[in-house]
Amino acid sequence: MTIDRRQFLQGAAFVGGATALAGLTACSGGTPKSQDETKATGGNPQEPVITELPIPEAEAPSVTEYETDVLIVGAGFAGIPAAIEAQAQGKSVLLVDKGHPGYSGCSPFPQCYQFFNEEWGDDRDAQREVTKAAGEYIANLDWYNVYMDESKECFDQLEKWGIFERFPKASEAGDYFDTKRYQDYHDEFAQYDRRARWNQLLKDKGIESVEYTMITDVVKKDGRVIGAMGLHVPSGTVMTFNAKAVVLCMGGGAYKNGGWPMSGDTFDGDWIGYNAGASITGKEFTYQIATSSVAPTCGWRVYTWGYLENIHPVGGIFGAEDVPERIKTRTSTIVGKINKARNGLEPIDAGKTSDQPLDNAKNSTNPDDPRIIGNDVDPMPSRDIDGAAVGKGIHKCDGIFCGVDDLVGYTGIPGLYAAGDTLASMIYGSVYTPGQGGSVPVSHIQGRRAAKAAAEYADTVDLVKIDADTVSSKSEELLAPMSLETGFSPYWAQDVLLSIMAPYWVDMVKDEQSLSTALANVMQLQENVAPKLMATNSHDLRTVHEVKHKILNAEIKLRTSLERKESRGYCYRSDYPYRDDENFLCYITASKNEDGEMEIKRVPVKDEWKGDLSQPYTERYVTRLPGEAEALGLPE
């Protein structure tokens, strides 16, 4: 089904008088009519004076309906390995991505890849202890054991694919670094660009991908998922995907992308999972990313050489003797972020750069261990402010919750699986405990595991095609914002949402009043604005759906933050500035009940993850949060 956008644009795109017309003329290259031409048309100055569309028409795809055993949604560090694994299991597989494979999720720009190898001296007990205590006793240690078992194998797989091939970094290649000639450096070393390598890998393996297509919903029949539907954004064509199993590898989300490359991460998987009947968790923990107050919206300023850095292998970095200091280091970062939010920032030198310290293996017994290379990335400009990705959750701890016993990303809905940052495996608990490079290997591992489970499930069911009535009704729902005669701009709504969620008293230093006030404002968007978001072209339509996803997640984040009446990890409550082990060694979930209302629940963690509850509080938690000592009568 293809949208005829001209009928929508004719009435909507030219509203606003001379100012709007001038802007559209400048964008489109059209020429305003002369006074004589205006008179010739009856003297109506409001009549459209240009015929070109602000966004060029695109051809509809030649194929708009697909059938496959396993549908993988998302082409990042979870999705691409998942597609390859599903194929290796002998299944037909289709990869769908909102962008272009290799340019999505973390796949273009990771600097580090952490892996564990006990044969080279890595200490399993030490790393498990740090994850348990630094994650403040809600880390999923079963998933962490899987990471320790499988991360080296995944590293070897990526090395075989050529993803770790090394090349001169910018500061070693001519004067590119000193003169900040980003593009010249990229041009010289373009052959090493991982973005193209990912896509070529899929082609070499014969895996079909559908690009620039936003999946907006999965389709269920008789209680199981039988496929998905979405929008081919360039052409505005509704797409239908019939599948025996679906694996969501759609990343996480944030409320803005200024200063950090997160434009495609908009909580799409959470929206789909929540509305399909899955639970969402981890939303109260906000993991802030640092950027520069000098240039807060400049991605290059934050990430220097961006999409052309060597991936630096890290891991195996501590043993039993390092555990206490490692726990203190990981948890004390929270205090620094809180104090920056409360007290403001110190001025920085805008031109200053500093080396990026990397966690190199120091315990390795193998002299050829690639993790002992040393610092192998370019210096980074100074960074002094948190919040480049407002509302961003901790990697792997924010998203669809599959239960404390799950190790394959099964959502509880037959035929539906999740992996990567779409899956809230809670592997790191309430703090991002691994330091550097801990996100991408876990995405890789989870993508492979979910794909294998999906392939095994596909063996047990027949392909059921989505019926014509369902396609028609879901198409109408997907395209509804295009037919509104009056409504709200999604870009305006996005700005309003950011103004609600970005203040530090909502995002980082929370209390009952600030959270309740923010929730009241978000519910105004949810109830009175979201149903009236309108679009005049298919690119606007994508944004409409993304804004709806962000609004839902804001509601979940605020409701779960209100429920967690304590401070733990990256959830700090100034009115409850202490950990409450009696009530909150749990995951707080949000799900849709039978009446369509959001229901908040607590799911206790396993006893073996809770640590020694008889330990004195000051030994169990070695970092004092602002206000904690006074609230509990403890020494500072």
Side-chain angles (χ1 to χ4, degrees), residues 511-555:
D511 62 31
E512 195 84 10
Q513 180 178 354
S514 67
L515 291 170
S516 298
T517 301
L519 179 59
N521 283 305
V522 166
M523 295 312 297
Q524 286 286 343
L525 287 175
Q526 182 77 277
E527 296 168 4
N528 300 318
V529 174
K532 302 173 186 175
L533 290 174
M534 65 185 301
T536 58
N537 57 67
S538 56
H539 295 266
D540 289 351
L541 186 59
R542 164 182 164 165
T543 305
V544 165
H545 290 292
E546 290 178 337
V547 171
K548 289 181 178 180
H549 302 173
K550 291 181 179 182
I551 292 172
L552 173 66
N553 272 268
E555 180 186 353

Side-chain angles (χ1 to χ4, degrees), residues 198-509:
W198 282 117
N199 199 39
Q200 187 60 48
L201 177 65
L202 294 173
K203 291 180 179 179
D204 291 343
K205 292 183 174 294
I207 295 175
E208 185 176 6
S209 63
V210 179
E211 304 173 359
Y212 306 115
T213 296
M214 179 184 187
I215 299 298
T216 55
D217 201 2
V218 293
V219 179
K220 294 167 63 178
K221 184 174 182 179
D222 298 329
R224 74 176 180 96
V225 168
I226 60 169
M229 293 185 62
L231 176 75
H232 180 252
V233 176
S235 69
T237 305
V238 175
M239 308 287 284
T240 303
F241 302 92
N242 303 287
K244 295 180 180 179
V246 177
V247 183
L248 302 179
C249 304
M250 307 171 77
Y255 296 122
K256 68 172 183 177
N257 60 4
W260 200 253
M262 296 193 65
S263 57
D265 294 336
T266 49
F267 308 108
D268 300 346
D270 295 343
W271 167 275
I272 290 171
Y274 177 85
N275 285 295
S279 295
I280 308 296
T281 199
K283 292 296 175 183
E284 69 270 35
F285 302 110
T286 300
Y287 178 58
Q288 296 288 3
I289 300 294
T291 183
S292 167
S293 57
V294 176
T297 60
C298 178
W300 285 113
R301 175 75 187 159
V302 173
Y303 205 71
T304 57
W305 301 91
Y307 299 95
L308 196 65
E309 287 270 19
N310 289 309
I311 298 182
H312 185 84
V314 295
I317 50 180
F318 54 87
E321 71 280 4
D322 304 303
V323 167
E325 185 60 31
R326 185 77 179 182
I327 294 171
K328 185 176 181 180
T329 299
R330 297 314 302 158
T331 55
S332 64
T333 60
I334 304 165
V335 179
K337 291 175 182 289
I338 293 169
N339 285 332
K340 277 186 180 181
R342 297 168 70 218
N343 303 321
L345 309 166
E346 297 178 0
I348 66 167
D349 179 353
K352 182 180 178 182
T353 61
S354 58
D355 286 336
Q356 302 172 59
L358 295 177
D359 288 332
N360 303 108
K362 70 174 186 179
N363 301 319
S364 180
T365 58
N366 187 332
D368 297 322
D369 186 343
R371 300 171 301 170
I372 61 177
I373 293 173
N375 198 330
D376 196 43
V377 293
D378 289 310
M380 181 177 282
S382 297
R383 301 189 290 177
D384 67 333
I385 182 172
D386 290 309
V390 174
K392 175 177 167 55
I394 304 169
H395 290 299
K396 315 298 170 294
C397 301
D398 169 353
I400 297 175
F401 181 59
C402 297
V404 294
D405 294 316
D406 172 80
L407 291 175
V408 297
Y410 173 53
T411 64
I413 302 167
L416 186 62
Y417 300 80
D421 278 354
T422 302
L423 172 64
S425 60
M426 297 304 298
I427 184 172
Y428 300 129
S430 62
V431 178
Y432 188 56
T433 59
Q436 295 155 327
S439 172
V440 286
V442 178
S443 287
H444 189 166
I445 291 166
Q446 291 177 343
R448 296 200 320 171
R449 283 182 153 249
K452 184 176 180 180
E456 291 173 353
Y457 171 81
D459 283 335
T460 68
V461 296
D462 295 325
L463 184 74
V464 177
K465 293 190 65 174
I466 303 171
D467 63 79
D469 288 343
T470 300
V471 170
S472 178
S473 63
K474 288 194 173 291
S475 296
E476 183 177 349
E477 180 181 339
L478 193 160
L479 300 176
M482 295 284 288
S483 62
L484 294 179
E485 295 183 1
T486 61
F488 298 103
S489 162
Y491 307 103
W492 169 80
Q494 190 166 245
D495 286 345
V496 171
L497 179 62
L498 177 61
S499 70
I500 296 170
M501 299 301 295
Y504 77 80
W505 52 86
V506 174
D507 202 43
M508 295 186 68
V509 183

Side-chain angles (χ1 to χ4, degrees), residues 6 14 28 30 48-54:
R6 293 185 184 276
F14 300 102
S28 68
V49 296
I50 59 175
T51 58
E52 294 183 35
L53 293 171

